[in-house]
Amino acid sequence: MSKLDSRKTLDRALRRPTNLNLSVEATRRAKEYGLNVSRIAEDAIVEAVRRREGELWKEQNAEAIKSYNERVAREGLLLAKYRRF
């Protein structure tokens, strides 16, 4: 699945009932504070998926990134002469 497809899948409009085993104390306190446990869990899962996708992208593109960095170290930035800082 591509990242673009993954973003569609992570869309909040698409939902599925899911059972989670959570700490009794954590859920009690969340309820006490009026926190939406489902939303918090979903947000954490979405963030973990995005972080993992970023890690995978870096792993899959490590050779290209290394090559680019070596070229910049050797030749400098392509438009560096136009920089004003």
Side-chain angles (χ1 to χ4, degrees):
M1 180 180 299
S2 73
K3 267 192 158 180
L4 183 60
D5 294 335
S6 176
R7 286 191 185 121
K8 289 179 185 175
T9 304
L10 296 177
D11 186 337
R12 292 190 187 281
L14 304 172
R15 297 198 165 296
R16 172 188 298 173
T18 305
N19 293 322
L20 297 172
N21 294 316
L22 303 171
S23 156
V24 172
E25 180 62 14
T27 54
R28 182 192 68 74
R29 291 174 70 181
K31 185 175 181 179
E32 178 182 317
Y33 297 132
L35 300 175
N36 183 331
V37 174
S38 294
R39 182 55 46 99
I40 293 168
E42 181 179 3
D43 289 347
I45 292 167
V46 167
E47 179 58 31
V49 167
R50 288 187 175 143
R51 193 173 326 119
R52 182 62 184 137
E53 288 175 341
E55 291 167 359
L56 288 172
W57 184 91
K58 285 179 189 175
E59 290 171 16
Q60 293 166 349
N61 291 282
E63 187 176 326
I65 293 168
K66 180 182 175 198
S67 175
Y68 173 78
N69 287 335
E70 289 171 352
R71 186 185 68 86
V72 169
R74 193 174 53 250
E75 301 172 18
L77 293 172
L78 183 61
L79 301 175
K81 64 183 176 184
Y82 299 107
R83 293 175 78 173
R84 296 182 183 250
F85 54 92

